[in-house]
Amino acid sequence: MNQELQSTLAEGLAAVSLDGIRAAREVVYQTLQPTPLLEHPLLNEAVGTRVFVKHENHLPTGAFKVRGGLNLLSHFAAAPTHSGVISATTGNHGQSIALAATRYGVPATIVVPRGNNPEKNAAMRAFGARLIEHGRDFDEAREEVERVAAAENLRYVHSANEPLLINGVGTYALEIIELLQQRGAQADAVFVPIGMGSGLCGVITAFRALSPQTKIYGVQAEGAPSNYLSWKAGHIVTTPEANTFAEGVATRAPAVLTFEIIKRGVDEIVLVSDDEMRDAIRLLWRTTHNLVEGAGAAATAATLKLREQLQGQTVVNVISGGNLATETLRIVFG
């Protein structure tokens, strides 16, 4: 890594902080309410331990990322540097940017891979974004973003290498800690799905400061294990493909900033199969009556996978999103 990149990384690491998350909360709560942290007796029975579910699927976009979008766009709107913003997404991040950009009166362009979840595409347009379809996957869509951003003077909002995004999504981690404290409980373990890693990094930042005894698990799909492989190797590893139905975790390469935080702060990364995520979707529907997407079910899939070693513990599962496409729903419940 050259000196300029090292300096940029150091600045990013310094900007992600507990104070940053607390400041973001003041912005986020101008638009959103805290999401529930609930126990579901039938889920506890199925898993065999005490599980608190963080329902980020209850947010207006159906996913946690809107917290980060609101925090970043509020700062951009206060001191705009470009003609608008642009980003790449498979859906939840794009909805976040689209909603937040509309909230703050900023033009937004979103690039998605061809064949992307059509319902997420429709939602991004409904939230006010211009949508471009390009490439075979998230990473090829991201390359198109870089070209369009330069051509149209747009601020490229990376879905992970953005301290303001990480601080924004970290607000849900504060909610977990505070809601558990109100109930006289503390988490022995927290399970968080990993796409580009902003959610996990928010959890690491808040929990390492306020609940250091909690074991932090990241969760990835077996068919898209780039963060797992990178964590094992100690450096970024890119995979040629991301083979999973769970688009929220379908990435081929980690982001530099989030990987550095993950490398320093996660205790373990667990891989789950597509079948295990589908089983978890069905279990969560049966036991909580919440419909969740593949990535949103990943934490519960990992908890089930490790259920024997988690006996007697208090566990938190983050349902990161509930945007399950209708066609996928037919397959999962067919």
Side-chain angles (χ1 to χ4, degrees):
M1 186 182 297
N2 64 38
Q3 188 171 356
E4 182 179 355
L5 287 176
Q6 287 179 333
S7 177
T8 300
L9 177 59
E11 290 174 6
L13 290 170
V16 177
S17 68
L18 181 61
D19 286 343
I21 293 173
R22 285 173 167 156
R25 181 158 59 176
E26 301 304 312
V27 174
V28 170
Y29 290 173
Q30 292 174 19
T31 303
L32 306 177
Q33 296 293 319
T35 57
L37 181 73
L38 301 178
E39 267 193 280
H40 300 278
L42 287 175
L43 181 61
N44 287 352
E45 182 180 298
V47 176
T49 194
R50 190 181 193 190
V51 180
F52 285 92
V53 177
K54 184 57 169 159
H55 283 285
E56 293 296 282
N57 57 311
H58 290 190
L59 287 165
T61 60
F64 76 99
K65 288 179 180 284
V66 65
R67 298 170 179 268
L70 288 166
N71 193 42
L72 187 146
L73 265 297
S74 71
H75 285 78
F76 179 88
T81 55
H82 297 72
S83 301
V85 297
I86 186 169
S87 194
T89 187
T90 56
N92 289 341
H93 169 67
Q95 290 181 71
S96 161
I97 297 302
L99 182 151
T102 298
R103 166 76 170 78
Y104 289 103
V106 175
T109 298
I110 306 296
V111 183
V112 300
R114 294 189 188 94
N116 194 55
N117 182 328
E119 293 165 22
K120 289 184 177 181
N121 290 354
M124 286 181 274
R125 289 191 178 100
F127 284 128
R130 173 179 64 144
L131 200 73
I132 298 172
E133 297 184 58
H134 179 89
R136 67 187 173 95
D137 58 17
F138 170 82
D139 294 281
E140 288 191 0
R142 178 173 49 78
E143 292 168 2
E144 178 68 1
V145 164
E146 295 171 2
R147 187 193 68 78
V148 176
E152 299 185 14
N153 186 38
L154 301 177
R155 159 75 155 88
Y156 172 22
V157 178
H158 194 279
S159 61
N161 286 332
E162 299 279 2
L164 290 171
L165 285 183
I166 298 171
N167 287 336
V169 301
T171 58
Y172 83 66
L174 278 187
E175 292 170 13
I176 293 171
I177 295 166
E178 292 171 355
L179 288 168
L180 285 174
Q181 288 174 342
Q182 291 172 17
R183 298 169 197 183
Q186 63 181 23
D188 295 302
V190 56
F191 287 79
V192 187
I194 312 172
M196 293 301 288
S198 62
L200 179 56
C201 288
V203 167
I204 287 169
T205 303
F207 272 79
R208 287 293 173 247
L210 300 175
S211 187
Q213 77 286 346
T214 300
K215 190 167 184 179
I216 299 173
Y217 293 85
V219 187
Q220 279 212 293
E222 288 180 355
S226 59
N227 271 284
Y228 172 81
L229 296 174
S230 300
W231 173 64
K232 284 288 192 181
H235 58 82
I236 287 179
V237 175
T238 300
T239 60
E241 294 181 310
N243 292 320
T244 176
F245 82 102
E247 65 261 24
V249 292
T251 55
R252 292 190 284 115
V256 174
L257 175 58
T258 50
F259 173 66
E260 193 63 31
I261 295 170
I262 290 168
K263 182 173 70 173
R264 298 179 184 194
V266 78
D267 288 297
E268 189 174 338
I269 296 178
V270 182
L271 295 180
V272 294
S273 69
D274 278 13
D275 282 344
E276 287 168 331
M277 284 187 279
R278 292 187 188 102
D279 286 344
I281 291 171
R282 290 188 285 265
L283 175 66
L284 287 165
W285 173 250
R286 179 173 64 81
T287 60
T288 77
H289 289 173
N290 278 259
L291 188 62
V292 305
E293 61 189 90
T300 302
T303 299
L304 286 165
K305 193 165 193 170
L306 303 183
R307 61 195 299 175
E308 290 187 8
Q309 70 187 61
L310 296 170
Q311 295 303 299
Q313 297 188 24
T314 297
V315 177
V316 175
N317 284 178
V318 176
I319 293 184
S320 56
N323 296 315
L324 187 67
T326 302
E327 188 55 39
T328 306
L329 186 153
R330 292 191 183 102
I331 294 169
V332 171
F333 289 93

